[in-house]
Amino acid sequence: MFQEFISSKIHRATVTDANLNYVGSITIDETLMKASKIKEWQKVDILDINNGERFHTYVIKGQADSGMICLNGAAARKVQPGDKVIIIAYGLYNPEEMNNYKPQIVIVDENNKISSIQ
């Protein structure tokens, strides 16, 4: 039986923009995507630390090394630039895959630059 577990996470990223007039999604700096192994078009959960909002959306690739974390479309109503968010991607795993499993966790600084990868 497959079970759903965290596959990767970007922890405490700062929202740089909220664009209501864009087709929905979250735009993430490509460098952060690669480090966290999050793919373009992948479904993610967004957890806003400032206001407690939790919602799903999908990822669009942003310019590498830009620090961009932009919520688009309806999701733009749930955040404010400057909010801290956690971005979580999940995967389906069978029990054998869970032996010694560890998700990719990317910790970022105030400018959304990688501080550490755990």
Side-chain angles (χ1 to χ4, degrees), residues 9-64:
K9 172 170 85 164
I10 301 172
H11 192 72
R12 294 187 62 86
T14 303
V15 174
T16 58
D17 197 9
N19 185 350
L20 183 62
N21 297 311
Y22 188 87
V23 178
S25 63
I26 182 170
T27 305
I28 301 175
D29 175 325
E30 182 181 12
T31 302
L32 295 177
M33 289 175 61
K34 287 179 179 177
S36 63
K37 300 181 182 176
I38 293 175
K39 307 292 185 208
E40 190 166 32
W41 312 116
Q42 186 172 2
K43 178 182 174 183
V44 292
D45 282 348
I46 309 299
L47 291 61
D48 188 310
I49 295 168
N50 294 77
N51 64 23
E53 286 283 355
R54 299 172 72 98
F55 55 93
H56 310 291
T57 191
Y58 62 92
V59 175
I60 292 177
K61 181 173 33 177
Q63 180 180 346

Side-chain angles (χ1 to χ4, degrees), residues 3 5-6 92-103:
Q3 293 180 303
F5 290 87
I6 291 175
L92 294 174
Y93 301 92
N94 65 44
E96 294 78 31
E97 292 175 295
M98 295 313 297
N99 293 329
N100 301 314
Y101 176 78
K102 186 178 175 198

